[in-house]
Amino acid sequence: FYNSSIKSIFVKNVLNIGASAFEDCENITKIELDNLINVGPSAFKDTNIEEVILNKNITYISPQLFASCDKLKKVVLNGENITIGDASFSGDDTLESINLNNVVKIEKRAFKYCKAIKEYNLAKVKEIGSGAFINNLELEKFSANSIEKIDDEILFGCRKLKEIYLNKVKKIPDKFINGCYFSLAKMELKEIDD
């Protein structure tokens, strides 16, 4: 289906969708994925999907799965103990809402250039990869109270960031908030090791 003119996808009894299966299908605006367990990398990259609701069986969001989806505004993740893969939502300029309540790991560049999100509440996230939130230009508040490990540059270039809450981080890496210093008003850290 790569680069085809398909408009909607309703998946009922399919368990797997392969890599790049619907990549560059610019006419796709809606998907419903029931019973699906696995979706390959870049399966919906560069589409015009506006809203995504993933079922409870999906616990791994593949690399670049929804990258460069310029019209994506809302994502609902219903699984438990979810890992968001490398650059899964990278370049989704209009993404405003994503529930991350059941996410435990965010890999590198997962939300790079997601310019419309104003707040992340990462209640269960234990690990965040390098550059995960680079240039989230509208980001104002970042809470990750369960996080234990963060890589460098996760909030690089988030110029409107005003508040950061981290309760379990043991070490602040290089360039953690580089480019955020003009707007940052509050940073709460607990249990930091030397």
Side-chain angles (χ1 to χ4, degrees):
F1 296 104
Y2 176 84
N3 202 21
S4 76
S5 61
I6 193 167
K7 293 182 180 182
S8 298
I9 300 168
F10 301 97
V11 176
K12 291 285 182 193
N13 293 314
V14 174
L15 299 179
N16 297 295
I17 293 177
S20 300
F22 299 98
E23 184 176 350
D24 287 326
C25 292
E26 295 178 357
N27 294 320
I28 294 177
T29 58
K30 185 175 182 178
I31 60 171
E32 287 184 30
L33 307 173
D34 291 344
N35 300 320
L36 194 65
I37 295 173
N38 182 48
V39 184
S42 303
F44 297 101
K45 182 180 177 183
D46 288 316
T47 62
N48 284 319
I49 294 171
E50 296 171 5
E51 182 175 343
V52 173
I53 299 173
L54 297 178
N55 70 53
K56 63 182 174 143
N57 298 322
I58 297 176
T59 58
Y60 182 65
I61 310 302
S62 298
Q64 297 189 9
L65 182 57
F66 297 105
S68 301
C69 291
D70 295 333
K71 299 199 175 166
L72 183 60
K73 291 187 183 276
K74 182 178 180 182
V75 177
V76 178
L77 306 172
N78 290 308
E80 294 289 328
N81 299 318
I82 299 167
T83 294
I84 296 181
D86 182 14
S88 292
F89 298 96
S90 181
D92 292 349
D93 292 349
T94 58
L95 182 60
E96 297 172 348
S97 173
I98 181 167
N99 71 316
L100 299 170
N101 300 335
N102 294 319
V103 173
V104 293
K105 182 178 180 183
I106 297 174
E107 295 179 355
K108 62 185 178 180
R109 300 184 312 266
F111 295 96
K112 182 179 178 182
Y113 298 116
C114 289
K115 298 176 183 176
I117 295 177
K118 293 187 178 197
E119 180 177 347
Y120 288 105
N121 186 357
L122 311 174
K124 295 182 181 177
V125 173
K126 302 245 187 256
E127 186 176 338
I128 298 178
S130 179
F133 305 100
I134 284 179
N135 289 326
N136 277 222
L137 299 179
E138 294 298 317
L139 183 62
E140 295 177 358
K141 184 177 178 182
F142 183 84
S143 298
N145 290 325
S146 294
I147 194 163
E148 297 168 358
K149 182 181 185 292
I150 52 177
D151 284 338
D152 62 340
E153 299 184 333
I154 68 163
L155 295 170
F156 184 90
C158 298
R159 294 188 180 124
K160 291 187 178 181
L161 188 61
K162 295 177 183 168
E163 300 175 51
I164 299 173
Y165 299 92
L166 304 170
N167 287 339
K168 294 187 178 182
V169 172
K170 300 296 181 190
K171 180 182 175 190
I172 300 295
D174 295 340
K175 300 180 184 176
F176 169 64
I177 55 170
N178 201 16
C180 303
Y181 41 83
F182 294 116
S183 61
L184 192 60
K186 183 175 184 176
M187 186 168 178
E188 182 177 302
L189 305 170
K190 296 179 182 176
E191 300 184 26
I192 301 290
D193 288 342
D194 292 335

